[in-house]
Amino acid sequence: VQLQASGGGLVLSGGSLRLSCEASGFSRDAFSIGWFRQAPGKEREWLSCISMRDGSSVYADSVKGRFTVSRDTWEDTAYLQMDSLKPADTAVYYCAAIVWPYNTGDVRNSANYDFWGQGTLVTVSS
């Protein structure tokens, strides 16, 4: 079981990036992928979660309308499209998997996730 996050980098304020999270070793459609970030000196923040089974998604208010999650079930890959990026979005971004069964409210708490990717750094310059 493995998660591989990629796609981070340096971008100008107002720009866009798309992060990818490739999952391997999971039972197809039996997990959801959550996205988190952690800025220097701050706690890890939950951003979004998407069900790999049906594509349903939820977002934190802080990124709603700017970030969009999607999935490719054929490739077992989840994506986080980040638009209108701000310097405050600078952080290490992580993807994590939460395996069925779970309650919808569980996805906002990092402690409920079963597996984590290695993180990818996103730097937004002004």
Side-chain angles (χ1 to χ4, degrees), residues 67-107:
F67 290 9
T68 305
V69 292
S70 61
R71 81 204 198 284
D72 180 335
T73 54
W74 186 257
E75 299 291 338
D76 280 341
T77 299
Y79 301 97
L80 181 67
Q81 176 68 39
M82 304 185 295
D83 298 319
S84 302
L85 284 164
K86 311 170 185 178
D89 294 315
T90 295
V92 177
Y93 284 70
Y94 299 89
C95 63
I98 183 169
V99 180
W100 289 96
Y102 60 86
N103 297 317
T104 301
D106 292 345
V107 303

PDB file of all heavy atoms in Angstrom, residues 67-107:
ATOM      1  N   PHE A  67      -9.762  25.583  -4.955  1.00  0.00           N
ATOM      2  CA  PHE A  67      -9.176  24.254  -5.124  1.00  0.00           C
ATOM      3  C   PHE A  67     -10.263  23.283  -5.572  1.00  0.00           C
ATOM      4  O   PHE A  67     -11.413  23.374  -5.111  1.00  0.00           O
ATOM      5  CB  PHE A  67      -8.576  23.756  -3.816  1.00  0.00           C
ATOM      6  CG  PHE A  67      -7.331  24.481  -3.362  1.00  0.00           C
ATOM      7  CD1 PHE A  67      -6.890  25.636  -3.992  1.00  0.00           C
ATOM      8  CD2 PHE A  67      -6.600  23.988  -2.291  1.00  0.00           C
ATOM      9  CE1 PHE A  67      -5.754  26.299  -3.568  1.00  0.00           C
ATOM     10  CE2 PHE A  67      -5.458  24.628  -1.849  1.00  0.00           C
ATOM     11  CZ  PHE A  67      -5.042  25.787  -2.486  1.00  0.00           C
ATOM     12  N   THR A  68      -9.876  22.362  -6.434  1.00  0.00           N
ATOM     13  CA  THR A  68     -10.816  21.364  -6.940  1.00  0.00           C
ATOM     14  C   THR A  68     -10.159  19.999  -6.923  1.00  0.00           C
ATOM     15  O   THR A  68      -9.036  19.846  -7.423  1.00  0.00           O
ATOM     16  CB  THR A  68     -11.240  21.687  -8.384  1.00  0.00           C
ATOM     17  OG1 THR A  68     -11.763  23.015  -8.447  1.00  0.00           O
ATOM     18  CG2 THR A  68     -12.305  20.704  -8.861  1.00  0.00           C
ATOM     19  N   VAL A  69     -10.850  19.035  -6.361  1.00  0.00           N
ATOM     20  CA  VAL A  69     -10.338  17.673  -6.362  1.00  0.00           C
ATOM     21  C   VAL A  69     -11.025  16.873  -7.452  1.00  0.00           C
ATOM     22  O   VAL A  69     -12.188  17.127  -7.783  1.00  0.00           O
ATOM     23  CB  VAL A  69     -10.534  16.969  -4.996  1.00  0.00           C
ATOM     24  CG1 VAL A  69      -9.652  17.604  -3.950  1.00  0.00           C
ATOM     25  CG2 VAL A  69     -11.983  16.992  -4.573  1.00  0.00           C
ATOM     26  N   SER A  70     -10.305  15.910  -7.971  1.00  0.00           N
ATOM     27  CA  SER A  70     -10.851  15.006  -8.977  1.00  0.00           C
ATOM     28  C   SER A  70     -10.120  13.681  -8.845  1.00  0.00           C
ATOM     29  O   SER A  70      -9.175  13.545  -8.069  1.00  0.00           O
ATOM     30  CB  SER A  70     -10.692  15.591 -10.378  1.00  0.00           C
ATOM     31  OG  SER A  70      -9.323  15.796 -10.678  1.00  0.00           O
ATOM     32  N   ARG A  71     -10.585  12.715  -9.647  1.00  0.00           N
ATOM     33  CA  ARG A  71      -9.953  11.394  -9.558  1.00  0.00           C
ATOM     34  C   ARG A  71      -9.967  10.726 -10.907  1.00  0.00           C
ATOM     35  O   ARG A  71     -10.802  11.036 -11.768  1.00  0.00           O
ATOM     36  CB  ARG A  71     -10.695  10.512  -8.544  1.00  0.00           C
ATOM     37  CG  ARG A  71     -11.946   9.844  -9.080  1.00  0.00           C
ATOM     38  CD  ARG A  71     -12.902   9.485  -8.035  1.00  0.00           C
ATOM     39  NE  ARG A  71     -13.895   8.504  -8.464  1.00  0.00           N
ATOM     40  CZ  ARG A  71     -14.943   8.745  -9.235  1.00  0.00           C
ATOM     41  NH1 ARG A  71     -15.096   9.947  -9.764  1.00  0.00           N
ATOM     42  NH2 ARG A  71     -15.817   7.798  -9.516  1.00  0.00           N
ATOM     43  N   ASP A  72      -9.045   9.829 -11.065  1.00  0.00           N
ATOM     44  CA  ASP A  72      -9.006   8.954 -12.237  1.00  0.00           C
ATOM     45  C   ASP A  72      -9.009   7.541 -11.680  1.00  0.00           C
ATOM     46  O   ASP A  72      -7.989   7.062 -11.179  1.00  0.00           O
ATOM     47  CB  ASP A  72      -7.754   9.238 -13.058  1.00  0.00           C
ATOM     48  CG  ASP A  72      -7.652   8.371 -14.291  1.00  0.00           C
ATOM     49  OD1 ASP A  72      -8.229   7.267 -14.313  1.00  0.00           O
ATOM     50  OD2 ASP A  72      -6.984   8.792 -15.245  1.00  0.00           O
ATOM     51  N   THR A  73     -10.155   6.892 -11.727  1.00  0.00           N
ATOM     52  CA  THR A  73     -10.251   5.569 -11.112  1.00  0.00           C
ATOM     53  C   THR A  73      -9.459   4.526 -11.889  1.00  0.00           C
ATOM     54  O   THR A  73      -9.022   3.533 -11.328  1.00  0.00           O
ATOM     55  CB  THR A  73     -11.707   5.129 -10.986  1.00  0.00           C
ATOM     56  OG1 THR A  73     -12.332   5.211 -12.273  1.00  0.00           O
ATOM     57  CG2 THR A  73     -12.455   6.018 -10.012  1.00  0.00           C
ATOM     58  N   TRP A  74      -9.271   4.764 -13.175  1.00  0.00           N
ATOM     59  CA  TRP A  74      -8.487   3.802 -13.975  1.00  0.00           C
ATOM     60  C   TRP A  74      -7.042   3.782 -13.498  1.00  0.00           C
ATOM     61  O   TRP A  74      -6.399   2.727 -13.463  1.00  0.00           O
ATOM     62  CB  TRP A  74      -8.574   4.192 -15.441  1.00  0.00           C
ATOM     63  CG  TRP A  74      -7.926   3.191 -16.339  1.00  0.00           C
ATOM     64  CD1 TRP A  74      -6.717   3.293 -16.939  1.00  0.00           C
ATOM     65  CD2 TRP A  74      -8.454   1.928 -16.738  1.00  0.00           C
ATOM     66  NE1 TRP A  74      -6.457   2.166 -17.678  1.00  0.00           N
ATOM     67  CE2 TRP A  74      -7.507   1.314 -17.583  1.00  0.00           C
ATOM     68  CE3 TRP A  74      -9.652   1.235 -16.445  1.00  0.00           C
ATOM     69  CZ2 TRP A  74      -7.707   0.059 -18.152  1.00  0.00           C
ATOM     70  CZ3 TRP A  74      -9.851  -0.005 -17.016  1.00  0.00           C
ATOM     71  CH2 TRP A  74      -8.881  -0.577 -17.847  1.00  0.00           C
ATOM     72  N   GLU A  75      -6.535   4.967 -13.147  1.00  0.00           N
ATOM     73  CA  GLU A  75      -5.156   5.087 -12.704  1.00  0.00           C
ATOM     74  C   GLU A  75      -5.017   5.095 -11.186  1.00  0.00           C
ATOM     75  O   GLU A  75      -3.907   5.206 -10.674  1.00  0.00           O
ATOM     76  CB  GLU A  75      -4.542   6.372 -13.273  1.00  0.00           C
ATOM     77  CG  GLU A  75      -4.508   6.426 -14.783  1.00  0.00           C
ATOM     78  CD  GLU A  75      -3.528   5.436 -15.377  1.00  0.00           C
ATOM     79  OE1 GLU A  75      -2.589   5.010 -14.659  1.00  0.00           O
ATOM     80  OE2 GLU A  75      -3.688   5.084 -16.559  1.00  0.00           O
ATOM     81  N   ASP A  76      -6.161   5.022 -10.481  1.00  0.00           N
ATOM     82  CA  ASP A  76      -6.140   5.115  -9.012  1.00  0.00           C
ATOM     83  C   ASP A  76      -5.357   6.348  -8.568  1.00  0.00           C
ATOM     84  O   ASP A  76      -4.510   6.293  -7.676  1.00  0.00           O
ATOM     85  CB  ASP A  76      -5.528   3.855  -8.382  1.00  0.00           C
ATOM     86  CG  ASP A  76      -6.517   2.701  -8.322  1.00  0.00           C
ATOM     87  OD1 ASP A  76      -7.733   2.963  -8.427  1.00  0.00           O
ATOM     88  OD2 ASP A  76      -6.078   1.556  -8.175  1.00  0.00           O
ATOM     89  N   THR A  77      -5.662   7.449  -9.193  1.00  0.00           N
ATOM     90  CA  THR A  77      -4.963   8.701  -8.905  1.00  0.00           C
ATOM     91  C   THR A  77      -5.972   9.796  -8.574  1.00  0.00           C
ATOM     92  O   THR A  77      -7.004   9.911  -9.243  1.00  0.00           O
ATOM     93  CB  THR A  77      -4.112   9.124 -10.106  1.00  0.00           C
ATOM     94  OG1 THR A  77      -3.134   8.109 -10.362  1.00  0.00           O
ATOM     95  CG2 THR A  77      -3.407  10.447  -9.835  1.00  0.00           C
ATOM     96  N   ALA A  78      -5.668  10.555  -7.553  1.00  0.00           N
ATOM     97  CA  ALA A  78      -6.462  11.720  -7.198  1.00  0.00           C
ATOM     98  C   ALA A  78      -5.652  12.973  -7.513  1.00  0.00           C
ATOM     99  O   ALA A  78      -4.418  12.952  -7.492  1.00  0.00           O
ATOM    100  CB  ALA A  78      -6.837  11.694  -5.720  1.00  0.00           C
ATOM    101  N   TYR A  79      -6.376  14.039  -7.809  1.00  0.00           N
ATOM    102  CA  TYR A  79      -5.736  15.290  -8.183  1.00  0.00           C
ATOM    103  C   TYR A  79      -6.277  16.434  -7.327  1.00  0.00           C
ATOM    104  O   TYR A  79      -7.443  16.426  -6.929  1.00  0.00           O
ATOM    105  CB  TYR A  79      -5.998  15.618  -9.650  1.00  0.00           C
ATOM    106  CG  TYR A  79      -5.509  14.558 -10.590  1.00  0.00           C
ATOM    107  CD1 TYR A  79      -6.385  13.582 -11.074  1.00  0.00           C
ATOM    108  CD2 TYR A  79      -4.186  14.515 -11.000  1.00  0.00           C
ATOM    109  CE1 TYR A  79      -5.942  12.601 -11.936  1.00  0.00           C
ATOM    110  CE2 TYR A  79      -3.729  13.527 -11.864  1.00  0.00           C
ATOM    111  CZ  TYR A  79      -4.617  12.574 -12.323  1.00  0.00           C
ATOM    112  OH  TYR A  79      -4.169  11.593 -13.177  1.00  0.00           O
ATOM    113  N   LEU A  80      -5.420  17.397  -7.076  1.00  0.00           N
ATOM    114  CA  LEU A  80      -5.831  18.620  -6.404  1.00  0.00           C
ATOM    115  C   LEU A  80      -5.426  19.783  -7.303  1.00  0.00           C
ATOM    116  O   LEU A  80      -4.240  20.098  -7.421  1.00  0.00           O
ATOM    117  CB  LEU A  80      -5.177  18.755  -5.031  1.00  0.00           C
ATOM    118  CG  LEU A  80      -5.561  20.011  -4.236  1.00  0.00           C
ATOM    119  CD1 LEU A  80      -7.041  19.954  -3.845  1.00  0.00           C
ATOM    120  CD2 LEU A  80      -4.685  20.172  -2.999  1.00  0.00           C
ATOM    121  N   GLN A  81      -6.398  20.367  -7.973  1.00  0.00           N
ATOM    122  CA  GLN A  81      -6.170  21.532  -8.816  1.00  0.00           C
ATOM    123  C   GLN A  81      -6.258  22.773  -7.951  1.00  0.00           C
ATOM    124  O   GLN A  81      -7.292  23.016  -7.323  1.00  0.00           O
ATOM    125  CB  GLN A  81      -7.202  21.586  -9.934  1.00  0.00           C
ATOM    126  CG  GLN A  81      -7.109  22.821 -10.809  1.00  0.00           C
ATOM    127  CD  GLN A  81      -5.849  22.840 -11.654  1.00  0.00           C
ATOM    128  OE1 GLN A  81      -5.413  21.816 -12.160  1.00  0.00           O
ATOM    129  NE2 GLN A  81      -5.246  24.019 -11.813  1.00  0.00           N
ATOM    130  N   MET A  82      -5.197  23.541  -7.934  1.00  0.00           N
ATOM    131  CA  MET A  82      -5.140  24.727  -7.085  1.00  0.00           C
ATOM    132  C   MET A  82      -5.015  25.961  -7.966  1.00  0.00           C
ATOM    133  O   MET A  82      -4.038  26.103  -8.710  1.00  0.00           O
ATOM    134  CB  MET A  82      -3.944  24.633  -6.132  1.00  0.00           C
ATOM    135  CG  MET A  82      -3.944  23.370  -5.286  1.00  0.00           C
ATOM    136  SD  MET A  82      -2.615  23.316  -4.071  1.00  0.00           S
ATOM    137  CE  MET A  82      -1.184  23.244  -5.148  1.00  0.00           C
ATOM    138  N   ASP A  83      -6.000  26.820  -7.894  1.00  0.00           N
ATOM    139  CA  ASP A  83      -6.035  28.049  -8.701  1.00  0.00           C
ATOM    140  C   ASP A  83      -5.996  29.279  -7.795  1.00  0.00           C
ATOM    141  O   ASP A  83      -6.244  29.190  -6.592  1.00  0.00           O
ATOM    142  CB  ASP A  83      -7.301  28.066  -9.554  1.00  0.00           C
ATOM    143  CG  ASP A  83      -7.351  26.910 -10.536  1.00  0.00           C
ATOM    144  OD1 ASP A  83      -6.320  26.593 -11.136  1.00  0.00           O
ATOM    145  OD2 ASP A  83      -8.453  26.330 -10.707  1.00  0.00           O
ATOM    146  N   SER A  84      -5.690  30.401  -8.403  1.00  0.00           N
ATOM    147  CA  SER A  84      -5.626  31.681  -7.666  1.00  0.00           C
ATOM    148  C   SER A  84      -4.793  31.542  -6.399  1.00  0.00           C
ATOM    149  O   SER A  84      -5.192  31.965  -5.311  1.00  0.00           O
ATOM    150  CB  SER A  84      -7.047  32.147  -7.312  1.00  0.00           C
ATOM    151  OG  SER A  84      -7.831  32.303  -8.469  1.00  0.00           O
ATOM    152  N   LEU A  85      -3.632  30.962  -6.558  1.00  0.00           N
ATOM    153  CA  LEU A  85      -2.783  30.691  -5.401  1.00  0.00           C
ATOM    154  C   LEU A  85      -2.265  31.983  -4.777  1.00  0.00           C
ATOM    155  O   LEU A  85      -2.023  32.983  -5.473  1.00  0.00           O
ATOM    156  CB  LEU A  85      -1.615  29.793  -5.805  1.00  0.00           C
ATOM    157  CG  LEU A  85      -2.002  28.329  -6.000  1.00  0.00           C
ATOM    158  CD1 LEU A  85      -0.932  27.575  -6.773  1.00  0.00           C
ATOM    159  CD2 LEU A  85      -2.260  27.660  -4.662  1.00  0.00           C
ATOM    160  N   LYS A  86      -2.111  31.930  -3.473  1.00  0.00           N
ATOM    161  CA  LYS A  86      -1.647  33.072  -2.688  1.00  0.00           C
ATOM    162  C   LYS A  86      -0.396  32.667  -1.929  1.00  0.00           C
ATOM    163  O   LYS A  86      -0.187  31.476  -1.660  1.00  0.00           O
ATOM    164  CB  LYS A  86      -2.726  33.479  -1.684  1.00  0.00           C
ATOM    165  CG  LYS A  86      -4.117  33.645  -2.246  1.00  0.00           C
ATOM    166  CD  LYS A  86      -5.132  33.811  -1.130  1.00  0.00           C
ATOM    167  CE  LYS A  86      -6.544  33.867  -1.650  1.00  0.00           C
ATOM    168  NZ  LYS A  86      -7.533  33.977  -0.543  1.00  0.00           N
ATOM    169  N   PRO A  87       0.404  33.625  -1.527  1.00  0.00           N
ATOM    170  CA  PRO A  87       1.577  33.271  -0.700  1.00  0.00           C
ATOM    171  C   PRO A  87       1.195  32.480   0.552  1.00  0.00           C
ATOM    172  O   PRO A  87       1.969  31.631   1.003  1.00  0.00           O
ATOM    173  CB  PRO A  87       2.157  34.641  -0.353  1.00  0.00           C
ATOM    174  CG  PRO A  87       1.814  35.494  -1.534  1.00  0.00           C
ATOM    175  CD  PRO A  87       0.438  35.038  -1.948  1.00  0.00           C
ATOM    176  N   ALA A  88      -0.002  32.735   1.091  1.00  0.00           N
ATOM    177  CA  ALA A  88      -0.455  32.010   2.287  1.00  0.00           C
ATOM    178  C   ALA A  88      -0.708  30.536   2.003  1.00  0.00           C
ATOM    179  O   ALA A  88      -0.855  29.743   2.948  1.00  0.00           O
ATOM    180  CB  ALA A  88      -1.728  32.653   2.834  1.00  0.00           C
ATOM    181  N   ASP A  89      -0.736  30.147   0.730  1.00  0.00           N
ATOM    182  CA  ASP A  89      -0.911  28.734   0.374  1.00  0.00           C
ATOM    183  C   ASP A  89       0.413  27.973   0.402  1.00  0.00           C
ATOM    184  O   ASP A  89       0.430  26.752   0.201  1.00  0.00           O
ATOM    185  CB  ASP A  89      -1.530  28.607  -1.016  1.00  0.00           C
ATOM    186  CG  ASP A  89      -2.947  29.140  -1.077  1.00  0.00           C
ATOM    187  OD1 ASP A  89      -3.741  28.841  -0.169  1.00  0.00           O
ATOM    188  OD2 ASP A  89      -3.262  29.869  -2.048  1.00  0.00           O
ATOM    189  N   THR A  90       1.506  28.660   0.635  1.00  0.00           N
ATOM    190  CA  THR A  90       2.809  28.006   0.697  1.00  0.00           C
ATOM    191  C   THR A  90       2.849  27.009   1.852  1.00  0.00           C
ATOM    192  O   THR A  90       2.558  27.353   3.000  1.00  0.00           O
ATOM    193  CB  THR A  90       3.920  29.050   0.879  1.00  0.00           C
ATOM    194  OG1 THR A  90       3.977  29.877  -0.287  1.00  0.00           O
ATOM    195  CG2 THR A  90       5.273  28.380   1.097  1.00  0.00           C
ATOM    196  N   ALA A  91       3.156  25.772   1.524  1.00  0.00           N
ATOM    197  CA  ALA A  91       3.149  24.701   2.522  1.00  0.00           C
ATOM    198  C   ALA A  91       3.632  23.413   1.875  1.00  0.00           C
ATOM    199  O   ALA A  91       3.776  23.330   0.658  1.00  0.00           O
ATOM    200  CB  ALA A  91       1.733  24.496   3.074  1.00  0.00           C
ATOM    201  N   VAL A  92       3.841  22.418   2.710  1.00  0.00           N
ATOM    202  CA  VAL A  92       4.014  21.052   2.220  1.00  0.00           C
ATOM    203  C   VAL A  92       2.627  20.430   2.144  1.00  0.00           C
ATOM    204  O   VAL A  92       1.868  20.469   3.123  1.00  0.00           O
ATOM    205  CB  VAL A  92       4.923  20.223   3.136  1.00  0.00           C
ATOM    206  CG1 VAL A  92       5.015  18.789   2.626  1.00  0.00           C
ATOM    207  CG2 VAL A  92       6.310  20.848   3.214  1.00  0.00           C
ATOM    208  N   TYR A  93       2.297  19.903   1.001  1.00  0.00           N
ATOM    209  CA  TYR A  93       0.983  19.313   0.761  1.00  0.00           C
ATOM    210  C   TYR A  93       1.092  17.798   0.807  1.00  0.00           C
ATOM    211  O   TYR A  93       2.009  17.205   0.224  1.00  0.00           O
ATOM    212  CB  TYR A  93       0.442  19.770  -0.589  1.00  0.00           C
ATOM    213  CG  TYR A  93      -0.070  21.186  -0.552  1.00  0.00           C
ATOM    214  CD1 TYR A  93       0.808  22.266  -0.427  1.00  0.00           C
ATOM    215  CD2 TYR A  93      -1.436  21.469  -0.621  1.00  0.00           C
ATOM    216  CE1 TYR A  93       0.342  23.574  -0.365  1.00  0.00           C
ATOM    217  CE2 TYR A  93      -1.914  22.772  -0.577  1.00  0.00           C
ATOM    218  CZ  TYR A  93      -1.023  23.811  -0.439  1.00  0.00           C
ATOM    219  OH  TYR A  93      -1.486  25.102  -0.374  1.00  0.00           O
ATOM    220  N   TYR A  94       0.148  17.197   1.494  1.00  0.00           N
ATOM    221  CA  TYR A  94       0.121  15.755   1.661  1.00  0.00           C
ATOM    222  C   TYR A  94      -1.191  15.183   1.152  1.00  0.00           C
ATOM    223  O   TYR A  94      -2.241  15.801   1.299  1.00  0.00           O
ATOM    224  CB  TYR A  94       0.235  15.380   3.140  1.00  0.00           C
ATOM    225  CG  TYR A  94       1.505  15.823   3.817  1.00  0.00           C
ATOM    226  CD1 TYR A  94       1.594  17.076   4.416  1.00  0.00           C
ATOM    227  CD2 TYR A  94       2.620  14.986   3.873  1.00  0.00           C
ATOM    228  CE1 TYR A  94       2.761  17.489   5.051  1.00  0.00           C
ATOM    229  CE2 TYR A  94       3.784  15.379   4.502  1.00  0.00           C
ATOM    230  CZ  TYR A  94       3.844  16.635   5.083  1.00  0.00           C
ATOM    231  OH  TYR A  94       4.998  17.041   5.712  1.00  0.00           O
ATOM    232  N   CYS A  95      -1.110  13.985   0.618  1.00  0.00           N
ATOM    233  CA  CYS A  95      -2.324  13.224   0.386  1.00  0.00           C
ATOM    234  C   CYS A  95      -2.324  12.038   1.342  1.00  0.00           C
ATOM    235  O   CYS A  95      -1.262  11.576   1.779  1.00  0.00           O
ATOM    236  CB  CYS A  95      -2.443  12.767  -1.060  1.00  0.00           C
ATOM    237  SG  CYS A  95      -1.158  11.630  -1.633  1.00  0.00           S
ATOM    238  N   ALA A  96      -3.519  11.601   1.668  1.00  0.00           N
ATOM    239  CA  ALA A  96      -3.669  10.495   2.606  1.00  0.00           C
ATOM    240  C   ALA A  96      -4.902   9.699   2.221  1.00  0.00           C
ATOM    241  O   ALA A  96      -5.821  10.220   1.589  1.00  0.00           O
ATOM    242  CB  ALA A  96      -3.799  11.021   4.034  1.00  0.00           C
ATOM    243  N   ALA A  97      -4.909   8.446   2.603  1.00  0.00           N
ATOM    244  CA  ALA A  97      -6.024   7.562   2.282  1.00  0.00           C
ATOM    245  C   ALA A  97      -6.756   7.153   3.553  1.00  0.00           C
ATOM    246  O   ALA A  97      -6.133   6.796   4.548  1.00  0.00           O
ATOM    247  CB  ALA A  97      -5.525   6.325   1.558  1.00  0.00           C
ATOM    248  N   ILE A  98      -8.075   7.218   3.464  1.00  0.00           N
ATOM    249  CA  ILE A  98      -8.933   6.725   4.534  1.00  0.00           C
ATOM    250  C   ILE A  98      -9.752   5.604   3.935  1.00  0.00           C
ATOM    251  O   ILE A  98     -10.352   5.744   2.869  1.00  0.00           O
ATOM    252  CB  ILE A  98      -9.809   7.859   5.120  1.00  0.00           C
ATOM    253  CG1 ILE A  98     -10.647   7.356   6.286  1.00  0.00           C
ATOM    254  CG2 ILE A  98     -10.676   8.520   4.061  1.00  0.00           C
ATOM    255  CD1 ILE A  98     -11.320   8.477   7.078  1.00  0.00           C
ATOM    256  N   VAL A  99      -9.722   4.462   4.605  1.00  0.00           N
ATOM    257  CA  VAL A  99     -10.290   3.242   4.050  1.00  0.00           C
ATOM    258  C   VAL A  99     -11.691   3.004   4.618  1.00  0.00           C
ATOM    259  O   VAL A  99     -11.922   3.210   5.815  1.00  0.00           O
ATOM    260  CB  VAL A  99      -9.362   2.044   4.347  1.00  0.00           C
ATOM    261  CG1 VAL A  99      -9.938   0.757   3.776  1.00  0.00           C
ATOM    262  CG2 VAL A  99      -7.972   2.303   3.774  1.00  0.00           C
ATOM    263  N   TRP A 100     -12.595   2.586   3.746  1.00  0.00           N
ATOM    264  CA  TRP A 100     -13.960   2.245   4.185  1.00  0.00           C
ATOM    265  C   TRP A 100     -13.907   1.115   5.212  1.00  0.00           C
ATOM    266  O   TRP A 100     -13.065   0.231   5.111  1.00  0.00           O
ATOM    267  CB  TRP A 100     -14.794   1.788   2.985  1.00  0.00           C
ATOM    268  CG  TRP A 100     -15.139   2.886   2.067  1.00  0.00           C
ATOM    269  CD1 TRP A 100     -14.494   3.255   0.937  1.00  0.00           C
ATOM    270  CD2 TRP A 100     -16.230   3.803   2.195  1.00  0.00           C
ATOM    271  NE1 TRP A 100     -15.107   4.335   0.354  1.00  0.00           N
ATOM    272  CE2 TRP A 100     -16.174   4.698   1.107  1.00  0.00           C
ATOM    273  CE3 TRP A 100     -17.248   3.959   3.146  1.00  0.00           C
ATOM    274  CZ2 TRP A 100     -17.104   5.720   0.935  1.00  0.00           C
ATOM    275  CZ3 TRP A 100     -18.160   4.989   2.964  1.00  0.00           C
ATOM    276  CH2 TRP A 100     -18.076   5.843   1.866  1.00  0.00           C
ATOM    277  N   PRO A 101     -14.813   1.080   6.199  1.00  0.00           N
ATOM    278  CA  PRO A 101     -15.895   2.059   6.403  1.00  0.00           C
ATOM    279  C   PRO A 101     -15.460   3.226   7.294  1.00  0.00           C
ATOM    280  O   PRO A 101     -14.591   3.063   8.140  1.00  0.00           O
ATOM    281  CB  PRO A 101     -16.962   1.234   7.109  1.00  0.00           C
ATOM    282  CG  PRO A 101     -16.165   0.251   7.916  1.00  0.00           C
ATOM    283  CD  PRO A 101     -14.948  -0.055   7.096  1.00  0.00           C
ATOM    284  N   TYR A 102     -16.060   4.389   7.067  1.00  0.00           N
ATOM    285  CA  TYR A 102     -15.842   5.532   7.931  1.00  0.00           C
ATOM    286  C   TYR A 102     -17.047   6.450   7.824  1.00  0.00           C
ATOM    287  O   TYR A 102     -17.851   6.336   6.911  1.00  0.00           O
ATOM    288  CB  TYR A 102     -14.570   6.275   7.532  1.00  0.00           C
ATOM    289  CG  TYR A 102     -14.577   6.804   6.120  1.00  0.00           C
ATOM    290  CD1 TYR A 102     -15.134   8.031   5.824  1.00  0.00           C
ATOM    291  CD2 TYR A 102     -14.027   6.064   5.080  1.00  0.00           C
ATOM    292  CE1 TYR A 102     -15.148   8.519   4.525  1.00  0.00           C
ATOM    293  CE2 TYR A 102     -14.032   6.538   3.779  1.00  0.00           C
ATOM    294  CZ  TYR A 102     -14.593   7.761   3.506  1.00  0.00           C
ATOM    295  OH  TYR A 102     -14.614   8.235   2.224  1.00  0.00           O
ATOM    296  N   ASN A 103     -17.170   7.338   8.762  1.00  0.00           N
ATOM    297  CA  ASN A 103     -18.237   8.333   8.747  1.00  0.00           C
ATOM    298  C   ASN A 103     -17.768   9.571   7.998  1.00  0.00           C
ATOM    299  O   ASN A 103     -16.584   9.905   8.009  1.00  0.00           O
ATOM    300  CB  ASN A 103     -18.648   8.707  10.168  1.00  0.00           C
ATOM    301  CG  ASN A 103     -19.226   7.525  10.918  1.00  0.00           C
ATOM    302  OD1 ASN A 103     -20.013   6.773  10.373  1.00  0.00           O
ATOM    303  ND2 ASN A 103     -18.813   7.356  12.168  1.00  0.00           N
ATOM    304  N   THR A 104     -18.689  10.258   7.370  1.00  0.00           N
ATOM    305  CA  THR A 104     -18.350  11.421   6.556  1.00  0.00           C
ATOM    306  C   THR A 104     -17.545  12.456   7.339  1.00  0.00           C
ATOM    307  O   THR A 104     -16.592  13.032   6.834  1.00  0.00           O
ATOM    308  CB  THR A 104     -19.632  12.072   6.003  1.00  0.00           C
ATOM    309  OG1 THR A 104     -20.339  11.114   5.230  1.00  0.00           O
ATOM    310  CG2 THR A 104     -19.277  13.272   5.130  1.00  0.00           C
ATOM    311  N   GLY A 105     -17.914  12.671   8.587  1.00  0.00           N
ATOM    312  CA  GLY A 105     -17.215  13.656   9.397  1.00  0.00           C
ATOM    313  C   GLY A 105     -15.793  13.272   9.719  1.00  0.00           C
ATOM    314  O   GLY A 105     -14.974  14.134  10.081  1.00  0.00           O
ATOM    315  N   ASP A 106     -15.449  12.006   9.555  1.00  0.00           N
ATOM    316  CA  ASP A 106     -14.106  11.530   9.891  1.00  0.00           C
ATOM    317  C   ASP A 106     -13.045  12.106   8.959  1.00  0.00           C
ATOM    318  O   ASP A 106     -11.873  12.167   9.324  1.00  0.00           O
ATOM    319  CB  ASP A 106     -14.052   9.998   9.803  1.00  0.00           C
ATOM    320  CG  ASP A 106     -14.884   9.337  10.885  1.00  0.00           C
ATOM    321  OD1 ASP A 106     -15.251  10.021  11.852  1.00  0.00           O
ATOM    322  OD2 ASP A 106     -15.159   8.128  10.738  1.00  0.00           O
ATOM    323  N   VAL A 107     -13.444  12.516   7.751  1.00  0.00           N
ATOM    324  CA  VAL A 107     -12.443  12.873   6.750  1.00  0.00           C
ATOM    325  C   VAL A 107     -11.723  14.179   7.074  1.00  0.00           C
ATOM    326  O   VAL A 107     -10.680  14.464   6.491  1.00  0.00           O
ATOM    327  CB  VAL A 107     -13.064  12.959   5.341  1.00  0.00           C
ATOM    328  CG1 VAL A 107     -13.723  11.642   4.976  1.00  0.00           C
ATOM    329  CG2 VAL A 107     -14.020  14.128   5.203  1.00  0.00           C
TER     330      VAL A 107
END
